[in-house]
Amino acid sequence: MVMALASVDGKTASEDLASKPLTVRGLTVSYGEKPAVFSVDMTLTQGRMTAIVGPNGAGKSTLLKAALGIISPLAGKALVYGQPLKTQRHRIAYVPQRASVDWDFPTRVIDVVLMGLQRELGLLGRVRARHQARAMECLDRVGMRDFAERQIGQLSGGQQQRVFLARALAQSADLYMLDEPFAGVDAATERAIISVLKSLRAEGKTVVAVHHDLATVAEYFDDIFLINTRKVAEGPVESTFTAENLNQTYGGRLAMAQIDQLELAAG
Ligand code: ADP
Ligand code: MG
């Protein structure tokens, strides 16, 4: 389906929205008086990995949550493959920032992964052998098969993060949204996660992740989306991950020495 969109500069742009895993237009989100995200447009491309980059408090998590419909925006909309979010939510898997999940009652790792199969199981659905097998397969993919019977609360941060990724895999989504998947994880977990994300990309899935480590942007991602309440820039890492865009995003809070060490695109 091809739709014509009036773009901000008044020209008429023709975009094949149906082929875009996520299109965000004019998104504004506010918790109080000052917007956390202001008039943001974002377009994700199928089969690519996008890093959302910006300083603390820039609205990165808010953008993801609003794009997922977890919080409602003041203005703007999100389309998933050109369709309203509410009919397409099943096509998105979300891995929230790890610190936001608190396990105060005992839950087995396998049960966390089975939550990813909820839609297939239905409200009263019995867990059958094939569901169990599918959950184990997802745990295997993140290297956590041997931990299936353990309590999630007893695992290390990195191990928990792998389990949450396994739950997302169980959903068989088309678009994977992750909020700081590498924050506070060990190096082995970081390698395991990036390798799973790259294998999803190889299957034609789309990945978007809030990412705070500028040193690995060029190695891990295809596209970058820079935000500081407003969008600063978006596009391929090779052309968009520039010192100028970083300076605009971080407003001088990034030391030149730090920038010098990055594998940046030529501005
Ligand atoms: P980031 O993920 O880029 O660090 P957030 O999206 O978490 O930024 O936050 C953006 C802004 O919104 C910050 O100023 C933050 O303090 C504020 N904020 C985030 N969540 C809430 C909330 N639940 N209630 C009030 N303010 C919030
Ligand atoms: Mg955040």
Side-chain angles (χ1 to χ4, degrees), residues 108-114 117 131-150 152 155 159-170 192 196:
R108 290 180 314 160
V109 163
I110 186 79
D111 294 323
V112 173
V113 181
L114 283 165
L117 290 168
H131 300 125
Q132 192 82 16
R134 169 97 184 110
M136 288 305 285
E137 196 184 293
C138 294
L139 277 174
D140 197 37
R141 221 169 146 181
V142 300
M144 290 295 289
R145 174 178 277 271
D146 295 343
F147 294 81
E149 300 296 325
R150 296 273 287 272
I152 183 85
L155 301 184
Q159 291 170 331
Q160 287 185 355
Q161 190 68 313
R162 292 190 202 203
V163 174
F164 299 138
L165 181 57
R167 179 179 63 182
L169 292 173
V196 169

Short mmCIF file of all heavy atoms in Angstrom, two decimals, residues 108-114 117 131-150 152 155 159-170 192 196:
data_model
loop_
_atom_site.label_atom_id
_atom_site.label_comp_id
_atom_site.label_asym_id
_atom_site.label_seq_id
_atom_site.Cartn_x
_atom_site.Cartn_y
_atom_site.Cartn_z
N ARG A 108 10.16 -18.95 37.85
CA ARG A 108 11.19 -19.72 37.15
C ARG A 108 11.51 -19.07 35.80
O ARG A 108 10.64 -18.47 35.16
CB ARG A 108 10.73 -21.16 36.90
CG ARG A 108 10.62 -22.03 38.14
CD ARG A 108 10.14 -23.43 37.74
NE ARG A 108 9.00 -23.34 36.81
CZ ARG A 108 8.62 -24.32 36.00
NH1 ARG A 108 9.27 -25.49 36.00
NH2 ARG A 108 7.59 -24.17 35.21
N VAL A 109 12.76 -19.23 35.39
CA VAL A 109 13.23 -18.69 34.11
C VAL A 109 12.32 -19.16 32.96
O VAL A 109 11.88 -18.35 32.14
CB VAL A 109 14.69 -19.14 33.87
CG1 VAL A 109 15.10 -18.97 32.42
CG2 VAL A 109 15.63 -18.35 34.79
N ILE A 110 11.99 -20.44 32.94
CA ILE A 110 11.17 -20.98 31.85
C ILE A 110 9.79 -20.28 31.80
O ILE A 110 9.25 -20.03 30.72
CB ILE A 110 11.02 -22.52 31.96
CG1 ILE A 110 10.28 -23.12 30.76
CG2 ILE A 110 10.33 -22.94 33.25
CD1 ILE A 110 11.11 -23.27 29.52
N ASP A 111 9.26 -19.92 32.98
CA ASP A 111 7.95 -19.25 33.02
C ASP A 111 8.03 -17.83 32.47
O ASP A 111 7.07 -17.33 31.88
CB ASP A 111 7.39 -19.26 34.45
CG ASP A 111 7.06 -20.67 34.92
OD1 ASP A 111 6.60 -21.47 34.08
OD2 ASP A 111 7.28 -20.98 36.10
N VAL A 112 9.19 -17.18 32.70
CA VAL A 112 9.37 -15.84 32.13
C VAL A 112 9.35 -15.94 30.60
O VAL A 112 8.69 -15.13 29.92
CB VAL A 112 10.71 -15.22 32.60
CG1 VAL A 112 10.98 -13.90 31.88
CG2 VAL A 112 10.71 -15.01 34.11
N VAL A 113 10.01 -16.95 30.06
CA VAL A 113 10.06 -17.10 28.60
C VAL A 113 8.68 -17.48 28.06
O VAL A 113 8.25 -16.99 27.01
CB VAL A 113 11.13 -18.13 28.18
CG1 VAL A 113 11.20 -18.25 26.66
CG2 VAL A 113 12.49 -17.73 28.74
N LEU A 114 7.96 -18.31 28.81
CA LEU A 114 6.61 -18.72 28.38
C LEU A 114 5.65 -17.53 28.29
O LEU A 114 4.70 -17.54 27.52
CB LEU A 114 6.04 -19.79 29.32
CG LEU A 114 6.62 -21.21 29.10
CD1 LEU A 114 6.29 -22.12 30.27
CD2 LEU A 114 6.11 -21.81 27.79
N LEU A 117 4.92 -16.30 25.02
CA LEU A 117 4.01 -17.11 24.19
C LEU A 117 2.54 -16.89 24.57
O LEU A 117 1.66 -17.60 24.10
CB LEU A 117 4.35 -18.59 24.33
CG LEU A 117 5.67 -19.03 23.70
CD1 LEU A 117 6.05 -20.43 24.14
CD2 LEU A 117 5.58 -18.97 22.18
N HIS A 131 4.95 -25.77 23.35
CA HIS A 131 5.26 -24.46 23.92
C HIS A 131 6.53 -24.54 24.76
O HIS A 131 7.39 -23.67 24.69
CB HIS A 131 4.09 -23.97 24.80
CG HIS A 131 2.80 -23.83 24.04
ND1 HIS A 131 1.65 -24.46 24.44
CD2 HIS A 131 2.52 -23.15 22.91
CE1 HIS A 131 0.69 -24.15 23.57
NE2 HIS A 131 1.19 -23.37 22.64
N GLN A 132 6.58 -25.60 25.55
CA GLN A 132 7.76 -25.84 26.39
C GLN A 132 9.02 -25.94 25.51
O GLN A 132 10.05 -25.33 25.81
CB GLN A 132 7.54 -27.16 27.15
CG GLN A 132 8.51 -27.43 28.27
CD GLN A 132 8.12 -26.71 29.57
OE1 GLN A 132 6.98 -26.25 29.72
NE2 GLN A 132 9.07 -26.59 30.48
N ALA A 133 8.89 -26.68 24.42
CA ALA A 133 10.02 -26.88 23.52
C ALA A 133 10.44 -25.55 22.88
O ALA A 133 11.64 -25.26 22.76
CB ALA A 133 9.66 -27.89 22.44
N ARG A 134 9.45 -24.76 22.50
CA ARG A 134 9.74 -23.47 21.88
C ARG A 134 10.46 -22.54 22.88
O ARG A 134 11.42 -21.86 22.53
CB ARG A 134 8.42 -22.84 21.40
CG ARG A 134 8.51 -21.41 20.98
CD ARG A 134 8.66 -21.25 19.47
NE ARG A 134 8.83 -19.84 19.12
CZ ARG A 134 9.97 -19.32 18.67
NH1 ARG A 134 11.02 -20.09 18.46
NH2 ARG A 134 10.06 -18.04 18.40
N ALA A 135 10.00 -22.54 24.12
CA ALA A 135 10.63 -21.71 25.15
C ALA A 135 12.07 -22.16 25.38
O ALA A 135 12.98 -21.33 25.53
CB ALA A 135 9.82 -21.77 26.45
N MET A 136 12.29 -23.47 25.40
CA MET A 136 13.65 -24.00 25.60
C MET A 136 14.57 -23.62 24.44
O MET A 136 15.74 -23.30 24.63
CB MET A 136 13.62 -25.53 25.76
CG MET A 136 13.05 -26.01 27.08
SD MET A 136 13.86 -25.32 28.54
CE MET A 136 15.38 -26.28 28.53
N GLU A 137 13.99 -23.63 23.24
CA GLU A 137 14.75 -23.26 22.05
C GLU A 137 15.21 -21.79 22.15
O GLU A 137 16.35 -21.46 21.80
CB GLU A 137 13.77 -23.42 20.89
CG GLU A 137 14.29 -23.48 19.50
CD GLU A 137 13.08 -23.55 18.54
OE1 GLU A 137 12.36 -24.58 18.57
OE2 GLU A 137 12.83 -22.57 17.83
N CYS A 138 14.33 -20.94 22.66
CA CYS A 138 14.67 -19.52 22.82
C CYS A 138 15.74 -19.34 23.89
O CYS A 138 16.65 -18.52 23.74
CB CYS A 138 13.43 -18.70 23.15
SG CYS A 138 12.23 -18.68 21.81
N LEU A 139 15.63 -20.11 24.96
CA LEU A 139 16.66 -20.05 26.01
C LEU A 139 18.00 -20.53 25.46
O LEU A 139 19.06 -19.98 25.77
CB LEU A 139 16.26 -20.92 27.21
CG LEU A 139 15.30 -20.26 28.20
CD1 LEU A 139 14.86 -21.26 29.27
CD2 LEU A 139 15.96 -19.04 28.86
N ASP A 140 17.96 -21.54 24.63
CA ASP A 140 19.17 -22.07 24.02
C ASP A 140 19.86 -21.01 23.17
O ASP A 140 21.07 -20.85 23.18
CB ASP A 140 18.79 -23.28 23.15
CG ASP A 140 19.99 -24.14 22.83
OD1 ASP A 140 20.86 -24.28 23.72
OD2 ASP A 140 20.07 -24.64 21.70
N ARG A 141 19.03 -20.24 22.47
CA ARG A 141 19.56 -19.21 21.57
C ARG A 141 20.35 -18.14 22.31
O ARG A 141 21.25 -17.51 21.75
CB ARG A 141 18.39 -18.58 20.82
CG ARG A 141 18.71 -18.33 19.38
CD ARG A 141 17.51 -17.96 18.58
NE ARG A 141 17.93 -17.00 17.54
CZ ARG A 141 17.11 -16.46 16.67
NH1 ARG A 141 15.83 -16.75 16.69
NH2 ARG A 141 17.56 -15.60 15.78
N VAL A 142 19.99 -17.89 23.57
CA VAL A 142 20.72 -16.89 24.36
C VAL A 142 21.69 -17.54 25.34
O VAL A 142 22.23 -16.89 26.23
CB VAL A 142 19.75 -15.96 25.13
CG1 VAL A 142 18.84 -15.21 24.16
CG2 VAL A 142 18.91 -16.74 26.13
N GLY A 143 21.90 -18.86 25.19
CA GLY A 143 22.86 -19.58 26.04
C GLY A 143 22.39 -19.80 27.46
O GLY A 143 23.20 -19.88 28.39
N MET A 144 21.05 -19.90 27.68
CA MET A 144 20.53 -20.03 29.04
C MET A 144 19.70 -21.31 29.25
O MET A 144 18.96 -21.41 30.23
CB MET A 144 19.68 -18.80 29.40
CG MET A 144 20.48 -17.51 29.58
SD MET A 144 21.62 -17.56 30.98
CE MET A 144 20.45 -17.48 32.33
N ARG A 145 19.84 -22.28 28.37
CA ARG A 145 19.06 -23.51 28.47
C ARG A 145 19.21 -24.19 29.85
O ARG A 145 18.22 -24.64 30.42
CB ARG A 145 19.50 -24.48 27.37
CG ARG A 145 18.86 -25.85 27.43
CD ARG A 145 19.31 -26.72 26.27
NE ARG A 145 18.55 -26.47 25.06
CZ ARG A 145 17.40 -27.11 24.76
NH1 ARG A 145 16.92 -28.02 25.56
NH2 ARG A 145 16.78 -26.84 23.64
N ASP A 146 20.43 -24.19 30.36
CA ASP A 146 20.68 -24.89 31.63
C ASP A 146 20.06 -24.18 32.84
O ASP A 146 20.10 -24.70 33.95
CB ASP A 146 22.19 -25.04 31.86
CG ASP A 146 22.83 -25.94 30.81
OD1 ASP A 146 22.06 -26.69 30.13
OD2 ASP A 146 24.06 -25.89 30.66
N PHE A 147 19.54 -22.98 32.63
CA PHE A 147 19.01 -22.20 33.76
C PHE A 147 17.48 -22.22 33.81
O PHE A 147 16.88 -21.51 34.61
CB PHE A 147 19.50 -20.76 33.68
CG PHE A 147 20.99 -20.61 33.87
CD1 PHE A 147 21.87 -20.85 32.82
CD2 PHE A 147 21.51 -20.25 35.11
CE1 PHE A 147 23.25 -20.73 33.00
CE2 PHE A 147 22.87 -20.13 35.30
CZ PHE A 147 23.75 -20.37 34.24
N ALA A 148 16.85 -23.04 32.98
CA ALA A 148 15.39 -23.01 32.82
C ALA A 148 14.62 -23.13 34.14
O ALA A 148 13.60 -22.47 34.33
CB ALA A 148 14.94 -24.11 31.85
N GLU A 149 15.10 -23.95 35.05
CA GLU A 149 14.36 -24.21 36.30
C GLU A 149 14.77 -23.27 37.44
O GLU A 149 14.22 -23.33 38.53
CB GLU A 149 14.57 -25.66 36.75
CG GLU A 149 14.10 -26.71 35.74
CD GLU A 149 12.60 -26.65 35.50
OE1 GLU A 149 11.85 -26.36 36.47
OE2 GLU A 149 12.17 -26.88 34.35
N ARG A 150 15.74 -22.40 37.18
CA ARG A 150 16.21 -21.49 38.23
C ARG A 150 15.22 -20.35 38.45
O ARG A 150 14.40 -20.04 37.59
CB ARG A 150 17.58 -20.92 37.84
CG ARG A 150 18.67 -22.00 37.75
CD ARG A 150 19.33 -22.25 39.08
NE ARG A 150 20.21 -21.13 39.42
CZ ARG A 150 21.49 -21.05 39.04
NH1 ARG A 150 22.04 -21.99 38.31
NH2 ARG A 150 22.21 -20.01 39.41
N ILE A 152 14.37 -16.55 38.50
CA ILE A 152 14.90 -15.39 37.76
C ILE A 152 15.60 -14.40 38.71
O ILE A 152 16.64 -13.83 38.38
CB ILE A 152 13.79 -14.70 36.92
CG1 ILE A 152 14.35 -13.55 36.10
CG2 ILE A 152 12.62 -14.23 37.74
CD1 ILE A 152 14.93 -13.93 34.79
N LEU A 155 19.40 -14.82 39.42
CA LEU A 155 20.39 -14.74 38.35
C LEU A 155 21.12 -13.40 38.38
O LEU A 155 20.61 -12.41 38.91
CB LEU A 155 19.73 -14.91 36.99
CG LEU A 155 18.96 -16.21 36.73
CD1 LEU A 155 18.46 -16.24 35.30
CD2 LEU A 155 19.84 -17.42 37.02
N GLN A 159 22.59 -12.39 33.11
CA GLN A 159 21.78 -13.59 32.85
C GLN A 159 20.29 -13.24 32.75
O GLN A 159 19.58 -13.75 31.88
CB GLN A 159 22.00 -14.62 33.96
CG GLN A 159 23.39 -15.22 33.93
CD GLN A 159 23.70 -16.05 35.17
OE1 GLN A 159 23.17 -15.79 36.25
NE2 GLN A 159 24.56 -17.04 35.01
N GLN A 160 19.84 -12.32 33.60
CA GLN A 160 18.44 -11.87 33.53
C GLN A 160 18.16 -11.23 32.18
O GLN A 160 17.14 -11.49 31.55
CB GLN A 160 18.13 -10.86 34.64
CG GLN A 160 18.03 -11.48 36.01
CD GLN A 160 17.59 -10.47 37.08
OE1 GLN A 160 17.46 -9.28 36.81
NE2 GLN A 160 17.40 -10.95 38.28
N GLN A 161 19.11 -10.41 31.73
CA GLN A 161 18.91 -9.72 30.45
C GLN A 161 18.78 -10.72 29.30
O GLN A 161 17.97 -10.55 28.39
CB GLN A 161 20.08 -8.75 30.23
CG GLN A 161 19.88 -7.79 29.08
CD GLN A 161 18.78 -6.77 29.32
OE1 GLN A 161 17.68 -7.09 29.76
NE2 GLN A 161 19.07 -5.53 29.04
N ARG A 162 19.57 -11.79 29.35
CA ARG A 162 19.47 -12.83 28.32
C ARG A 162 18.10 -13.50 28.34
O ARG A 162 17.53 -13.82 27.30
CB ARG A 162 20.52 -13.91 28.54
CG ARG A 162 21.93 -13.45 28.32
CD ARG A 162 22.80 -14.66 28.33
NE ARG A 162 24.16 -14.34 28.63
CZ ARG A 162 25.17 -15.12 28.29
NH1 ARG A 162 24.94 -16.25 27.65
NH2 ARG A 162 26.40 -14.78 28.59
N VAL A 163 17.57 -13.72 29.56
CA VAL A 163 16.26 -14.35 29.69
C VAL A 163 15.17 -13.44 29.10
O VAL A 163 14.26 -13.91 28.42
CB VAL A 163 15.96 -14.71 31.17
CG1 VAL A 163 14.53 -15.23 31.33
CG2 VAL A 163 16.96 -15.73 31.69
N PHE A 164 15.29 -12.13 29.35
CA PHE A 164 14.29 -11.20 28.79
C PHE A 164 14.37 -11.18 27.27
O PHE A 164 13.36 -11.05 26.59
CB PHE A 164 14.46 -9.79 29.36
CG PHE A 164 14.29 -9.75 30.86
CD1 PHE A 164 15.12 -8.99 31.65
CD2 PHE A 164 13.27 -10.50 31.46
CE1 PHE A 164 14.96 -8.98 33.04
CE2 PHE A 164 13.11 -10.48 32.83
CZ PHE A 164 13.96 -9.72 33.63
N LEU A 165 15.58 -11.34 26.75
CA LEU A 165 15.72 -11.42 25.30
C LEU A 165 15.07 -12.71 24.79
O LEU A 165 14.40 -12.72 23.76
CB LEU A 165 17.20 -11.33 24.90
CG LEU A 165 17.49 -11.39 23.39
CD1 LEU A 165 16.77 -10.29 22.64
CD2 LEU A 165 19.00 -11.30 23.14
N ALA A 166 15.25 -13.80 25.53
CA ALA A 166 14.62 -15.08 25.16
C ALA A 166 13.09 -14.94 25.14
O ALA A 166 12.42 -15.46 24.25
CB ALA A 166 15.04 -16.19 26.11
N ARG A 167 12.55 -14.22 26.13
CA ARG A 167 11.10 -13.99 26.15
C ARG A 167 10.66 -13.23 24.90
O ARG A 167 9.64 -13.55 24.29
CB ARG A 167 10.70 -13.20 27.41
CG ARG A 167 9.22 -12.90 27.48
CD ARG A 167 8.83 -12.15 28.73
NE ARG A 167 9.44 -10.83 28.81
CZ ARG A 167 9.28 -9.99 29.81
NH1 ARG A 167 8.53 -10.33 30.85
NH2 ARG A 167 9.87 -8.83 29.81
N ALA A 168 11.46 -12.22 24.51
CA ALA A 168 11.14 -11.45 23.30
C ALA A 168 11.21 -12.35 22.07
O ALA A 168 10.37 -12.26 21.17
CB ALA A 168 12.10 -10.27 23.16
N LEU A 169 12.19 -13.24 22.03
CA LEU A 169 12.32 -14.16 20.89
C LEU A 169 11.10 -15.07 20.78
O LEU A 169 10.64 -15.38 19.68
CB LEU A 169 13.58 -15.02 21.03
CG LEU A 169 14.93 -14.30 20.90
CD1 LEU A 169 16.07 -15.25 21.25
CD2 LEU A 169 15.11 -13.73 19.50
N ALA A 170 10.58 -15.50 21.94
CA ALA A 170 9.42 -16.41 21.96
C ALA A 170 8.21 -15.76 21.30
O ALA A 170 7.34 -16.45 20.77
CB ALA A 170 9.09 -16.81 23.40
N ALA A 192 26.83 -12.22 23.49
CA ALA A 192 25.71 -13.13 23.22
C ALA A 192 24.51 -12.34 22.67
O ALA A 192 23.87 -12.76 21.70
CB ALA A 192 25.32 -13.88 24.49
N VAL A 196 22.76 -12.51 18.86
CA VAL A 196 21.35 -12.83 18.64
C VAL A 196 20.68 -11.73 17.81
O VAL A 196 19.93 -12.00 16.86
CB VAL A 196 20.59 -13.03 19.98
CG1 VAL A 196 19.09 -13.08 19.75
CG2 VAL A 196 21.07 -14.29 20.68
#
